[in-house]
Amino acid sequence: MKNSDYKKLQNYERLLKYIMVCIVLVMIVIPLYKNYKYSTAEKDFFISEKTINLGMLYPKYQTTTNNNKIFNINANRSLNQSENNILFYNISGDIEDDYYKKINFSAEKGLYNQEKSTIDFSQGVSFISQDNFQLESNKALYFLQENLIHGSNDIMFYNYMGSFFAQQYNVNLLKKQYIFLEDIKFTANDHKKTIIEAEQIVVNDYQNNMEVEKNAKYQDNEITLTSKKFIVFYYRDMFDKLFINKVIAYNNVEILHDDAIITGDKAIFYYNKEIIEIINNATVVKEENTVKGKKIIYDIKNDSFRVLQGKNNKVNLQLNYE
């Protein structure tokens, strides 16, 4: 065989290999493209810098919710796991809440179910809102249409009022309601070093209060309060910062201050005035002396109290002169 014929044969072999490689790539890319187009839900828009086997590099995904909120997703990589499930790696993006403020999110992984319109986030999950809150956890399930977030495992929540640590949370962005569950500890950003502990705390941000129950405990540098349930009311200043205004406690209320033990059916703690109003079955035990009445006003700052009304308009006083 001549050298020229041998070279021609080599060129034919190279061309044949090239054609075979191209055919294989076309067989992979075209079904993948069709699958993405087929699996993309209505109102969804998907673009990518590069298509790879079973997925895309640097995809940009956009969908519109039923209430016309735009949801944007960016990622380093995506894999099409099934007809309606896309797994994103190093996912980030944003969505508008129901008050037209953006919420930015990020996580190491996010499984988007197009049929159910949910994203199952895992590892390093973070939500940051223009409404001045930051929510972190290891897991979170986001419901796009309802604007709900359910999360678990080592939760941290921050806002202008303080920080929450818990094991579970449910966030309703429509109602601006944040529910924390299990081993909750709230630390306030205030001069009193306020700490609240419970098994359930419901923050109603639209109503400027939070309901604390199940082993509910309030503590600052002056008093310790326990009850079956109490509600913390707060207000916003001109800079949108949050401050505690008062605490109303219900059922089996007990308050400790220095050597005084204060109990009653209901108590209202005026945070800034440092005044406690005890209502119904009000009792103050101090230095083994006991005062009972229907209503007692306790002054924390001056360490004094007065009885507004005793039983049958009389004060029940028990003194120990030992």
Side-chain angles (χ1 to χ4, degrees):
M1 182 180 292
K2 296 180 180 180
N3 286 338
S4 59
D5 294 335
Y6 181 73
K7 288 182 179 179
K8 287 181 181 179
L9 182 60
Q10 282 185 322
N11 290 334
Y12 287 139
E13 288 178 349
R14 291 193 187 109
L15 180 61
L16 183 60
K17 289 180 180 179
Y18 178 77
I19 293 172
M20 290 179 66
V21 170
C22 289
I23 292 173
V24 170
L25 289 175
V26 169
M27 290 176 66
I28 292 175
V29 172
I30 290 179
L32 179 64
Y33 173 77
K34 287 183 177 179
N35 197 18
Y36 264 109
K37 294 293 286 183
Y38 176 75
S39 65
T40 299
E42 185 182 358
K43 298 184 179 180
D44 285 10
F45 178 69
F46 207 134
I47 60 173
S48 173
E49 292 184 10
K50 185 177 180 182
T51 303
I52 60 174
N53 188 24
L54 298 179
M56 295 184 176
L57 288 177
Y58 309 110
K60 298 181 185 298
Y61 199 90
Q62 187 179 92
T63 184
T64 305
T65 63
N66 292 336
N67 54 357
N68 294 320
K69 303 295 182 184
I70 296 175
F71 191 90
N72 295 302
I73 296 176
N74 301 303
N76 287 351
R77 184 164 58 115
S78 66
L79 295 177
N80 199 21
Q81 290 199 330
S82 64
E83 182 178 313
N84 291 301
N85 289 294
I86 303 173
L87 179 60
F88 293 94
Y89 290 90
N90 294 320
I91 185 173
S92 62
D94 61 75
I95 189 172
E96 287 183 339
D97 66 12
D98 293 276
Y99 298 88
Y100 299 96
K101 294 183 178 180
K102 280 193 175 181
I103 298 172
N104 297 303
F105 61 84
S106 62
E108 291 187 23
K109 294 180 182 180
L111 181 61
Y112 176 35
N113 186 307
Q114 294 174 301
E115 184 179 8
K116 296 180 179 179
S117 195
T118 62
I119 299 183
D120 193 353
F121 295 101
S122 61
Q123 301 178 23
V125 183
S126 176
F127 292 89
I128 301 176
S129 170
Q130 287 183 321
D131 212 17
N132 301 313
F133 80 75
Q134 181 173 347
L135 185 59
E136 297 178 0
S137 63
N138 285 330
K139 293 182 180 181
L141 183 61
Y142 189 87
F143 295 83
L144 275 71
Q145 304 299 341
E146 297 84 0
N147 243 344
L148 299 175
I149 311 172
H150 299 326
S152 61
N153 293 1
D154 299 326
I155 292 131
M156 292 179 285
F157 177 91
Y158 310 91
N159 63 9
Y160 274 148
M161 190 165 64
S163 58
F164 290 84
F165 295 86
Q167 293 303 311
Q168 296 184 50
Y169 68 82
N170 299 315
V171 174
N172 187 322
L173 296 173
L174 176 62
K175 297 181 179 179
K176 297 184 73 173
Q177 183 183 74
Y178 315 101
I179 302 175
F180 301 94
L181 303 167
E182 293 184 29
D183 300 329
I184 309 162
K185 183 177 182 180
F186 167 75
T187 304
N189 297 327
D190 61 5
H191 65 284
K192 292 188 178 184
K193 299 179 180 180
T194 302
I195 294 175
I196 295 174
E197 297 177 337
E199 293 300 312
Q200 177 177 305
I201 295 180
V202 179
V203 180
N204 302 298
D205 204 34
Y206 190 73
Q207 300 172 0
N208 289 336
N209 69 50
M210 61 179 179
E211 303 173 25
V212 184
E213 55 186 316
K214 297 181 181 178
N215 299 323
K217 180 181 178 181
Y218 169 98
Q219 186 174 4
D220 62 26
N221 54 13
E222 291 284 353
I223 68 168
T224 298
L225 181 153
T226 58
S227 67
K228 188 174 181 180
K229 176 182 178 179
F230 60 81
I231 301 176
V232 179
F233 294 87
Y234 53 88
Y235 65 94
R236 302 171 187 271
D237 66 4
M238 60 184 297
F239 301 105
D240 207 30
K241 291 189 176 181
L242 308 177
F243 298 93
I244 297 175
N245 183 31
K246 65 181 177 180
V247 179
I248 301 180
Y250 304 90
N251 299 330
N252 302 321
V253 181
E254 181 179 85
I255 302 170
L256 305 179
H257 174 248
D258 291 339
D259 59 346
I261 302 174
I262 307 158
T263 59
D265 294 338
K266 179 181 177 181
I268 304 174
F269 170 39
Y270 297 95
Y271 187 84
N272 294 320
K273 295 179 180 180
E274 296 190 330
I275 297 291
I276 302 172
E277 184 178 328
I278 307 99
I279 303 168
N280 294 333
N281 297 314
T283 302
V284 176
V285 179
K286 188 176 178 64
E287 297 177 352
E288 298 185 7
N289 299 316
T290 303
V291 176
K292 296 182 180 181
K294 186 175 181 181
K295 188 174 183 180
I296 296 177
I297 305 297
Y298 190 93
D299 188 331
I300 297 173
K301 188 175 182 180
N302 298 311
D303 195 18
S304 62
F305 60 88
R306 55 195 175 99
V307 182
L308 297 186
Q309 186 177 3
K311 214 170 197 179
N312 298 322
N313 294 324
K314 294 181 180 179
V315 176
N316 189 335
L317 179 63
Q318 299 177 8
L319 301 176
N320 190 332
Y321 293 101
E322 292 183 3

